[in-house]
Amino acid sequence: MGLTCSSCGTNLLEDDMLLLQKNCDYTIALAGNPNVGKSTIFNALTGMHQHTGNWPGKTVSNACGTCLHKNKNLLFVDIPGTYSLMSNSQEEEIARDYLCFGKPDTTVIILDATCIEKNLNLVFQTLEITNKVVVCVNLLDEARKKHIRIDLKKLSDFLGVPVVGTIARKKKTLQHLLSTIVKVASLPNTCQPNLVTYHPIIEDSLLMLESTLSKYLPKEYAHLSRWTALKLIDGEPSILHSIKKNFSLSFREEEIQNKLNEAKELLSDNDIDEQNFRDKIVSSIVLKAEDIHNHVVSYERCARFKP
């Protein structure tokens, strides 16, 4: 199934998105930092079978496209390029909300092979939301020019999700990516991601909230109890608004509020307040990314030029 060439460039309405999803086997979100080749991969996979418009109520553009792979119709949603899901911009808010509440069957996170340490920030934040993830290390040709070698198998072991290497401009390198996407989308619990472990006191505070939240979250979002606990403690207004809206969750529930107060009191007793809570979260992610980078990336020595 695909859109005709005459439909390209028309406005994508919410009803159109639902119709596309209904007629496709799986919906795939494409995520990544700006300038990692995400749009190039999207265009290579979907060709002329594309539809563009704006996110509902937003000025940020979106793009959807279809692709047939081994008798499976795939709908790709190219979400805005972003460095983070912490909602510091409209692009981050859209990306976060789609990954959390749009229910894609698989999320593909595209990394730049020449600077994967920086890109891993988005990977770890996404793994807090879903385990249906494929990491795509793109621009391997550029890494090769810079004598950078990446052990993709070892990277997969560290992350706990499949990792595929690609060169977006060479379509044949995308076939393995498509096969991996379908595998992850079609099988439940195919991935067991290795999440970042935060400061011990932060981990204790999350545990205090998780068991309570699991009683109130809709069944289809039960896997988000840890992420929801993290965001409740963080207290960022736009994230809380999205959680309330999509989960129909009232933070005024006495049990939730009591546990949240206990968690914040535990943090406060250990000198972790609203000002440094997020800093500690980000620091843990950065240190984890640095450690993985040191284990999976190596640099070849260049032969010296001889006149």
Side-chain angles (χ1 to χ4, degrees), residues 101-166:
F101 314 118
K103 301 179 183 178
D105 296 294
T106 303
T107 297
V108 179
I109 310 173
I110 300 169
L111 313 185
D112 179 348
T114 67
C115 55
I116 67 168
E117 181 178 349
K118 180 177 70 174
N119 294 175
L120 284 172
N121 175 43
L122 183 63
V123 174
F124 287 123
Q125 290 186 47
T126 304
L127 292 179
E128 292 275 6
I129 296 169
T130 175
N131 66 347
K132 306 279 279 187
V133 168
V134 175
V135 170
C136 170
V137 180
N138 190 36
L139 301 173
L140 287 177
D141 51 339
E142 294 300 319
R144 194 175 297 121
K145 290 177 184 177
K146 297 180 179 180
H147 306 283
I148 299 171
R149 297 190 64 179
I150 302 170
D151 189 327
L152 299 179
K153 173 63 169 61
K154 190 178 288 187
L155 179 59
S156 178
D157 291 341
F158 273 110
L159 297 176
V161 297
V163 174
V164 178
T166 61

Side-chain angles (χ1 to χ4, degrees), residues 243-260:
I243 290 173
K244 289 178 183 179
K245 176 183 175 182
N246 290 278
F247 293 165
S248 299
L249 183 66
S250 173
F251 301 139
R252 294 182 180 178
E253 291 285 352
E254 185 177 357
E255 188 176 9
I256 294 177
Q257 194 59 54
N258 287 341
K259 284 296 180 182
L260 178 58

